Amino acid sequence: MGRMLIFGIGYTASRLAHRLRANGWEVIGTRREAKNGALAFGDRSSVLAALESATHVLSSVPPSRDGTEPVLDGYGTDIGSAALKWSGYLSSTGVYGDADGAWVDESAPIGSGRRKARSKADQNWQDLRSDMRVFRLPGIYGPGRSPLDRVREGKSSRIDLPGQVFSRIHADDIVSAVIASFDGPPGAYNISDDLPAPQHKIVAHSARLLNIAVPPLQSLEEANLSKAALGFYEENRRVANGKAKRLLGWEPQYPDYKAGLQTLLD
């Protein structure tokens, strides 16, 4: 079995680690501080020792708020020269910017949206190694982190913005895509479900599943959202996942939000 080093063993990466360990892999992760078996990111000697023995390396660490890239800045040269069988980076479909609701695939230009640092990191990781897989991810949901949880807590608003749609992906479908790419070609891949949909439909469906009153539709002004939340509505696109299906043989287990939310409810 392989040995994977994961920089930033957070929500999605932890689910990947669990799946790989169940399959007999050795997985070492990093966190800001050493805990729960993970190495401290700044413990350079330990991280480099893990890198030296790794067959696979994945980073899920986003750029910092100041635009710097912690993993590339701290370990990029070492990762670039390591004797690996596979390397990967969890990026964002935010690199595409606003498409006015149109479909975007991996041939679309990146760097025009509000996430300039993400776009730069996406390109820098692609340039680091010839075997790099970059996974561009939309909104991630899964156990303990889904519209169901926010609706239960009374924290979901339904925003009435005609024509606005978003793509999303269940965390376990990201896991299966990463694993499928072990035997697939390098490159950038959109990992999303098959049904982009308006945010207010997902909230309404979640409320009905929970037998909770559906929150009323509101305008952006009425919702009084934070600046960060407002940025979420500044971009409108449908994310195409055909490349991952063709080249990786990957199919989402949860092809739409209804399938994913039903499983979480069950």
Side-chain angles (χ1 to χ4, degrees), residues 251-266:
E251 290 284 343
Q253 181 179 356
Y254 308 105
D256 56 48
Y257 66 89
K258 292 183 178 179
L261 293 176
Q262 184 63 53
T263 298
L264 295 178
L265 185 67
D266 294 343

Side-chain angles (χ1 to χ4, degrees), residues 93-114 163-167 190 196 231-240:
T93 54
V95 301
Y96 295 118
D98 181 37
D100 197 25
W103 287 94
V104 292
D105 64 15
E106 294 83 355
S107 67
I110 67 173
S112 62
R114 59 192 173 90
Q164 186 86 19
V165 295
F166 302 98
S167 294
N190 292 339
F232 181 72
Y233 291 93
E234 292 175 357
E235 297 177 350
N236 184 11
R237 58 184 168 266
R238 290 170 165 86
V239 178

Side-chain angles (χ1 to χ4, degrees), residues 103 105-106 134-136 167-169 173 176-178 180-181 183-185 188-196 239-256:
W103 287 94
D105 64 15
E106 294 83 355
V134 170
F135 304 94
R136 293 173 179 163
S167 294
R168 59 200 49 77
I169 188 69
D173 281 331
S176 66
V178 170
S181 79
D183 297 319
Y189 294 96
N190 292 339
I191 306 301
S192 65
D193 72 14
D194 296 333
L195 185 64
V239 178
N241 59 16
K243 181 180 177 182
K245 290 179 175 180
R246 292 191 308 271
L247 300 187
L248 304 182
W250 170 80
E251 290 284 343
Q253 181 179 356
Y254 308 105
D256 56 48

Side-chain angles (χ1 to χ4, degrees), residues 32 51 76 108 115 125 130 143 162 167 171 174 183 220 224 241 245:
R32 291 180 182 177
L51 177 60
R115 296 192 175 185
W125 277 97
S130 61
S167 294
I174 301 172
D183 297 319
L220 278 175
N224 193 28
N241 59 16
K245 290 179 175 180

Side-chain angles (χ1 to χ4, degrees), residues 147-204:
L148 294 171
D149 301 290
R150 292 189 290 277
V151 169
R152 281 192 190 100
E153 296 165 3
K155 295 181 178 179
S156 286
S157 301
R158 295 177 64 228
I159 308 300
D160 185 16
L161 205 58
Q164 186 86 19
V165 295
F166 302 98
S167 294
R168 59 200 49 77
I169 188 69
H170 192 291
D172 289 346
D173 281 331
I174 301 172
V175 169
S176 66
V178 170
I179 293 174
S181 79
F182 292 166
D183 297 319
Y189 294 96
N190 292 339
I191 306 301
S192 65
D193 72 14
D194 296 333
L195 185 64
Q199 174 265 2
H200 66 81
K201 284 192 174 182
I202 284 80
V203 174

Side-chain angles (χ1 to χ4, degrees), residues 9-226:
I9 191 153
Y11 179 77
T12 301
S14 293
R15 298 185 74 82
L16 173 63
H18 178 77
R19 180 83 62 85
L20 291 177
R21 286 168 180 151
N23 292 337
W25 283 57
E26 178 183 348
V27 181
I28 298 175
T30 74
R31 297 179 183 270
R32 291 180 182 177
E33 298 179 358
K35 63 177 181 179
N36 299 329
L39 302 174
F41 178 78
D43 184 354
R44 187 168 179 80
S45 60
S46 296
V47 172
L48 290 179
L51 177 60
E52 185 176 358
S53 66
T55 58
H56 296 58
V57 166
L58 176 73
S59 175
S60 71
V61 180
S64 300
R65 291 185 178 180
D66 62 4
T68 58
E69 301 170 33
V71 179
L72 287 179
D73 292 345
Y75 297 100
T77 300
D78 306 290
I79 295 170
S81 61
L84 301 170
K85 294 181 179 179
W86 180 96
S87 58
Y89 173 65
L90 300 187
S91 183
S92 166
T93 54
V95 301
Y96 295 118
D98 181 37
D100 197 25
W103 287 94
V104 292
D105 64 15
E106 294 83 355
S107 67
I110 67 173
S112 62
R114 59 192 173 90
R115 296 192 175 185
K116 297 291 193 296
R118 262 296 195 183
S119 300
K120 178 183 175 183
D122 183 297
Q123 189 61 58
N124 287 342
W125 277 97
Q126 290 186 70
D127 294 340
L128 185 64
R129 295 180 60 97
S130 61
D131 63 357
M132 185 65 62
R133 283 82 166 165
V134 170
F135 304 94
R136 293 173 179 163
L137 310 174
I140 301 170
Y141 72 100
R145 192 171 119 173
S146 79
L148 294 171
D149 301 290
R150 292 189 290 277
V151 169
R152 281 192 190 100
E153 296 165 3
K155 295 181 178 179
S156 286
S157 301
R158 295 177 64 228
I159 308 300
D160 185 16
L161 205 58
Q164 186 86 19
V165 295
F166 302 98
S167 294
R168 59 200 49 77
I169 188 69
H170 192 291
D172 289 346
D173 281 331
I174 301 172
V175 169
S176 66
V178 170
I179 293 174
S181 79
F182 292 166
D183 297 319
Y189 294 96
N190 292 339
I191 306 301
S192 65
D193 72 14
D194 296 333
L195 185 64
Q199 174 265 2
H200 66 81
K201 284 192 174 182
I202 284 80
V203 174
H205 186 69
S206 298
R208 293 187 187 105
L209 287 176
L210 295 168
N211 292 316
I212 293 174
V214 175
L217 283 170
Q218 295 178 297
S219 67
L220 278 175
E221 293 75 18
E222 290 170 333
N224 193 28
L225 300 176
S226 67

